[in-house]
C-alpha cells in the first residue's frame, strides 16, 4: 500500500520493518485530539484565505464523521498507515476525495503530534487532579472519624510517641496537596500550542497561530518553532509529578500492608481489596496495595526512559521522540487507577481502634513525657533524658513499663515527681498535650480537618 509520503521513495519496507516503525498500536489514543487539532487548523486556513470555505466545510464534515466512527468503535486502524495522523488523513481522503489533501497545508506531523499530546495531557492532568481531590476527601473523612483514635507514631519503624490516627492520615492529605499544586502549576507549560510551527521552521503560508490556539483552548503559543516541535519537557514534568504521586501512594500502601499484618492488626482491608491463596485457606492478602507499591517502579521507569531518550537528541524532530507516548499513556492509566483503588481501600478499611490504642500502652512511647515533666520542674533536659533512659533500661530488665513504676520509686529518682505523673504518662494525655500548630493534639487535628475541608470545598 502506497504511503502518503512515498513520492521520493522507489522501494517499500517489508511488513515487519513497517511494524517496527509504526506508532498506531498506541497513538490511536490521540484520535480525538488529532481530529480536534485538524478542525481548528482547517478553520484557520479558511479564515486566512488559504483554502475555500466550501473546502473547509467538506473537510470538517469528513473529520466529524471519522470522529464518530472512532467513538463508536467502527474505525479500522491499520499498521500500513503507521500513525494516527496518516490513518485519519487516509480515511478522510477515502471519504471526501482529493480535497482532503488540503488539510495538511501549512502543517507537519511534527507540530501535529505535539499539539495532540498537549491537548491530551491538558485533559488528563485535569482528570488526575480531580482524582487527587477525591482521595483527599476520603482521607479527610476517615481522619474526622479517628481524631481521638490513638496509635503509635513511628521513627525507624520503632514506637516513638502516641499520636492521633486522624493526624497520621492527614499527613498523606498534605502530600497529595503538594502533588495537586505541582500538577496545577504544570498546566502552564502544558497549555501551550505548537500548532503552526510546521516541520521545524514555521511556514510560508499566512497562517494565524493565535486563532488555532484560541479554537483549541490554549492559553499561549510557542515563541520558537524549533522549540515548539521538539519540546517534550511538559511530558517529563508530568512523568516526574506522576512519580511523586506514586511514591506517596506507595508509602501509604506500605503502611496499609504492615497495619493489616498479624503482627500489627491495626486495620483490616475490605474483601474487595484483598485476595486469597490457592493453597492456604486462611490467607487474606493486601494484593491491591502491593500492586500500587509495585507499579510505582513502572512510573519511575517511564520517567527515566524519556529522560534518556531526550538527552542525546539534537534539534528538532527525531524518530526517537516516538518513544514519548507509551510511557505517557501508561503513567496516565497507572496513576489514575491507583488513585481510584487507594480511595476505595481507605474508605472501606476497618480500623481496629482498641488494638491501636493498646499498642501505645505496652511500650515506652511515653518516655518523652517523663523527660519533659522533669525538665518542666527545673531539671536540664539533657540530664532528664539520661535519667529516663536509665529508667527505661531498668523497666525492660524488670518486664514493666513506666506507668507501672511505683510513686516511691519515682520519688527516689527525683523528689520533683508527684502523683500527677501517671496522668502525664497516659497515652491520650501525651497525644493531646502536643497542641502546637500542626501537632497531633485533638484540637489541632480538628483544626487541620477544617482547613482541609475548606480547601477541598474550593
Amino acid at each position: 500500500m502506497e504511503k502518503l509520503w512515498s513520492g521520493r521513495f522507489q522501494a517499500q519496507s517489508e511488513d515487519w520493518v513497517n511494524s517496527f516503525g509504526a506508532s498506531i498500536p498506541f497513538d490511536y489514543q490521540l484520535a480525538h485530539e488529532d481530529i480536534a487539532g485538524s478542525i481548528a487548523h482547517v478553520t484557520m486556513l479558511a479564515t486566512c484565505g488559504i483554502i475555500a470555505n466550501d473546502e473547509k466545510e467538506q473537510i470538517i464534515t469528513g473529520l466529524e464523521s471519522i470522529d464518530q466512527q472512532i467513538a463508536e468503535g467502527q474505525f479500522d486502524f491499520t499498521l500500513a498507515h503507521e500513525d494516527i495522523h496518516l490513518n485519519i488523513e487516509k480515511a478522510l481522503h477515502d471519504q471526501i476525495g482529493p480535497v482532503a489533501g488540503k488539510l495538511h497545508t501549512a502543517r507537519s506531523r511534527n507540530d501535529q503530534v505535539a499539539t495532540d499530546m498537549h491537548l491530551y495531557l491538558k485533559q488528563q492532568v485535569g482528570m488526575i487532579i480531580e482524582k487527587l481531590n477525591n482521595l483527599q476527601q476520603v482521607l479527610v473523612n476517615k481522619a474526622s472519624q479517628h481524631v481521638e483514635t490513638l496509635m503509635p507514631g513511628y521513627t525507624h519503624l520503632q514506637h516513638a510517641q502516641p499520636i492521633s490516627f486522624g493526624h497520621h492520615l492527614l499527613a498523606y492529605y498534605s502530600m497529595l496537596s503538594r502533588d495537586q499544586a505541582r500538577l496545577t502549576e504544570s498546566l502552564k507549560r502544558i497549555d501551550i500550542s505548537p500548532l503552526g510551527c510546521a516541520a521545524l521552521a514555521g511556514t510560508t503560508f499566512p497562517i494565524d497561530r493565535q486563532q488555532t490556539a484560541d479554537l483549541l483552548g490554549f492559553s499561549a503559543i510557542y515563541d520558537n518553532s524549533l522549540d515548539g516541535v521538539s519540546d517534550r519537557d511538559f511530558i517529563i514534568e508530568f512523568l516526574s509529578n506522576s512519580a511523586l504521586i506514586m511514591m506517596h501512594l506507595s508509602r501509604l500502601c506500605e503502611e496499609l500492608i504492615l497495619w493489616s499484618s498479624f503482627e500489627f492488626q491495626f486495620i483490616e482491608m475490605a474483601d474487595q481489596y484483598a485476595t486469597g491463596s490457592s493453597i492456604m485457606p486462611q490467607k487474606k492478602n493486601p494484593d491491591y496495595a502491593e500492586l500500587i507499591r509495585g507499579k510505582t517502579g513502572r512510573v519511575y521507569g517511564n520517567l527515566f526512559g524519556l529522560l534518556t531518550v531526550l538527552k542525546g537528541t539534537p534539534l528538532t524532530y527525531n524518530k526517537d521522540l516516538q518513544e514519548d507516548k507509551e510511557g505517557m499513556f501508561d503513567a496516565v492509566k497507572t496513576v489514575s487507577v491507583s488513585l481510584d483503588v487507594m480511595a476505595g481501600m481507605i474508605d472501606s478499611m476497618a480500623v481496629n481502634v482498641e488494638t491501636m490504642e493498646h499498642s501505645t500502652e505496652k511500650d515506652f512511647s511515653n518516655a518523652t513525657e517523663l523527660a519533659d515533666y522533669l525538665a518542666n520542674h527545673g531539671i536540664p533536659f539533657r540530664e532528664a533524658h539520661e535519667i529516663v533512659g536509665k529508667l527505661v533500661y531498668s523497666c525492660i530488665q524488670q518486664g514493666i513499663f513506666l506507668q507501672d513504676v511505683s510513686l516511691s520509686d519515682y520519688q527516689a529518682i527525683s523528689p520533683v515527681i508527684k502523683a500527677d505523673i501517671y496522668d502525664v504518662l497516659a497515652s491520650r494525655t501525651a497525644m493531646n498535650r502536643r497542641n502546637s500548630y500542626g501537632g497531633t493534639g485533638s484540637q489541632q487535628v480538628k483544626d487541620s480537618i477544617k482547613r482541609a475541608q475548606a480547601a477541598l470545598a474550593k
Side-chain angles (χ1 to χ4, degrees):
M1 184 178 295
E2 188 174 275
K3 297 183 182 298
L4 294 177
W5 45 259
S6 62
R8 181 251 186 269
F9 290 79
Q10 301 302 307
Q12 295 187 9
S13 301
E14 295 184 46
D15 287 346
W16 69 270
V17 177
N18 288 332
S19 179
F20 178 73
S23 59
I24 192 61
F26 48 87
D27 71 9
Y28 72 90
Q29 296 173 77
L30 296 173
H32 177 72
E33 288 77 13
D34 198 70
I35 289 172
S38 291
I39 290 174
H41 181 68
V42 78
T43 300
M44 177 274 295
L45 291 178
T47 301
C48 294
I50 298 170
I51 65 171
N53 276 321
D54 65 321
E55 294 172 327
K56 175 198 76 172
E57 294 301 329
Q58 289 182 65
I59 293 171
I60 290 178
T61 299
L63 289 170
E64 289 174 342
S65 173
I66 293 168
D67 198 25
Q68 185 174 353
Q69 291 174 45
I70 294 172
E72 294 173 353
Q74 302 299 315
F75 189 88
D76 183 24
F77 296 105
T78 66
L79 280 172
H81 301 310
E82 75 188 58
D83 60 30
I84 186 60
H85 324 297
L86 297 186
N87 266 265
I88 290 174
E89 187 173 341
K90 179 62 168 61
L92 183 66
H93 187 277
D94 291 344
Q95 188 165 316
I96 67 172
V99 71
K102 295 197 173 185
L103 169 61
H104 212 54
T105 306
R107 186 178 71 172
S108 164
R109 282 187 293 174
N110 295 353
D111 61 336
Q112 187 177 357
V113 69
T115 301
D116 292 356
M117 289 188 293
H118 277 275
L119 288 171
Y120 173 83
L121 264 193
K122 182 180 175 181
Q123 179 186 21
Q124 297 302 320
V125 165
M127 176 269 295
I128 290 172
I129 288 172
E130 290 179 8
K131 290 179 182 290
L132 281 167
N133 279 339
N134 178 59
L135 176 53
Q136 286 183 297
Q137 187 65 66
V138 169
L139 287 165
V140 169
N141 291 344
K142 188 67 76 171
S144 66
Q145 298 166 19
H146 292 283
V147 173
E148 303 294 341
T149 298
L150 283 164
M151 71 171 291
Y154 295 87
T155 62
H156 309 280
L157 206 56
Q158 304 294 314
H159 284 209
Q161 294 173 337
I163 63 171
S164 157
F165 182 50
H167 188 55
H168 192 112
L169 292 174
L170 289 175
Y172 287 98
Y173 166 87
S174 295
M175 295 179 207
L176 297 178
S177 292
R178 294 193 295 274
D179 291 330
Q180 184 193 87
R182 277 185 285 266
L183 283 175
T184 301
E185 167 66 22
S186 75
L187 284 170
K188 295 178 183 178
R189 288 166 291 282
I190 295 172
D191 197 19
I192 307 175
S193 174
L195 193 56
C197 291
L200 76 159
T203 177
T204 60
F205 291 92
I207 63 170
D208 184 347
R209 291 188 61 205
Q210 190 60 56
Q211 182 186 2
T212 52
D214 292 341
L215 289 171
L216 292 170
F218 284 117
S219 61
I221 59 178
Y222 276 90
D223 288 332
N224 184 287
S225 63
L226 302 175
D227 185 43
V229 298
S230 63
D231 174 33
R232 297 298 185 270
D233 293 358
F234 67 103
I235 302 178
I236 290 177
E237 188 173 5
F238 166 71
L239 293 175
S240 175
N241 290 335
S242 296
L244 280 167
I245 292 170
M246 292 301 294
M247 180 269 287
H248 291 149
L249 297 185
S250 185
R251 293 183 73 181
L252 180 50
C253 283
E254 175 70 8
E255 297 200 303
L256 295 177
I257 292 163
L258 288 170
W259 293 343
S260 62
S261 68
F262 182 82
E263 287 71 22
F264 279 78
Q265 298 187 53
F266 285 0
I267 65 167
E268 183 177 356
M269 305 297 287
D271 287 356
Q272 59 266 41
Y273 293 103
T275 65
S277 164
S278 63
I279 189 172
M280 295 168 285
Q282 83 282 7
K283 293 297 294 297
K284 185 175 184 180
N285 302 320
D287 277 20
Y288 295 95
E290 292 169 352
L291 273 173
I292 292 174
R293 187 176 61 180
K295 287 178 182 292
T296 299
R298 181 189 190 112
V299 176
Y300 289 2
N302 292 331
L303 169 60
F304 284 103
L306 186 54
L307 282 169
T308 305
V309 165
L310 288 171
K311 77 174 183 64
T313 53
L315 292 177
T316 53
Y317 185 82
N318 301 271
K319 190 66 168 177
D320 313 48
L321 293 182
Q322 185 167 294
E323 292 298 307
D324 59 4
K325 298 171 191 64
E326 287 181 280
M328 176 183 71
F329 293 141
D330 183 73
V332 165
K333 180 180 177 181
T334 301
V335 172
S336 177
V337 175
S338 296
L339 287 169
D340 288 340
V341 171
M342 181 62 81
M345 287 194 298
I346 297 296
D347 186 51
S348 62
M349 72 180 182
V351 180
N352 299 327
V353 175
E354 291 183 3
T355 303
M356 277 190 174
E357 183 165 348
H358 182 70
S359 70
T360 69
E361 296 170 349
K362 300 302 179 183
D363 66 359
F364 293 96
S365 62
N366 52 3
T368 304
E369 309 313 304
L370 179 55
D372 286 349
Y373 182 95
L374 293 172
N376 284 327
H377 286 78
I379 298 175
F381 183 79
R382 283 302 171 204
E383 183 180 337
H385 187 285
E386 184 175 358
I387 290 170
V388 176
K390 290 179 178 178
L391 180 58
V392 167
Y393 180 77
S394 175
C395 287
I396 292 172
Q397 299 302 108
Q398 301 174 63
I400 63 174
F401 300 96
L402 292 177
Q403 55 269 37
D404 301 322
V405 176
S406 68
L407 182 59
S408 60
D409 286 344
Y410 269 128
Q411 291 181 331
I413 293 170
S414 176
V416 303
I417 301 176
K418 307 300 181 186
D420 63 344
I421 188 59
Y422 297 103
D423 180 56
V424 170
L425 291 173
S427 297
R428 191 164 300 281
T429 304
M431 179 186 79
N432 282 323
R433 288 181 68 234
R434 279 159 176 75
N435 203 37
S436 56
Y437 183 90
T440 193
S442 296
Q443 189 55 54
Q444 285 299 321
V445 177
K446 290 175 183 176
D447 290 345
S448 293
I449 288 170
K450 288 179 182 178
R451 290 193 296 270
Q453 290 171 333
L456 289 170
K458 292 180 181 179

